[in-house]
Amino acid sequence: MTTQILERPETKEADTGPEMFHYVRKEKIAESAVMGTFVIALCGEKFPVTRTPKKGAPVCPQCKEIYEAMKH
């Protein structure tokens, strides 16, 4: 009998901390949640989608600033 070691890749939390939510492309959210692929937020952070933000949850200030600039 042999023993195999399976490595689990390290995933890093966004630099803004786990409580902050980021703006990402809407069409990438479901893919990330199902497949575990990484999304890229407006601020440049890369992470897999693991949670759904609740109303009033804190948003990354950089993402919010970029999003507001895009609306105008």
Side-chain angles (χ1 to χ4, degrees):
M1 184 183 330
T2 63
T3 304
Q4 243 183 346
I5 297 175
L6 299 176
E7 290 188 34
R8 190 172 90 187
E10 294 284 327
T11 56
K12 92 177 184 65
E13 292 290 334
D15 288 340
T16 54
E19 292 83 29
M20 289 282 182
F21 287 93
H22 296 270
Y23 286 106
V24 299
R25 296 183 69 86
K26 190 174 184 175
E27 62 271 8
K28 298 290 184 180
I29 295 172
E31 177 186 331
S32 176
V34 173
M35 304 296 287
T37 56
F38 280 61
V39 293
I40 302 174
L42 292 178
C43 68
E45 290 289 336
K46 295 179 184 179
F47 56 93
V49 173
T50 58
R51 300 180 297 163
T52 302
K54 294 180 175 70
K55 187 174 179 120
V59 177
C60 166
Q62 282 184 295
C63 281
K64 188 172 184 174
E65 184 179 322
I66 294 167
Y67 179 74
E68 292 297 324
M70 290 170 58
K71 288 180 17 180
H72 299 295

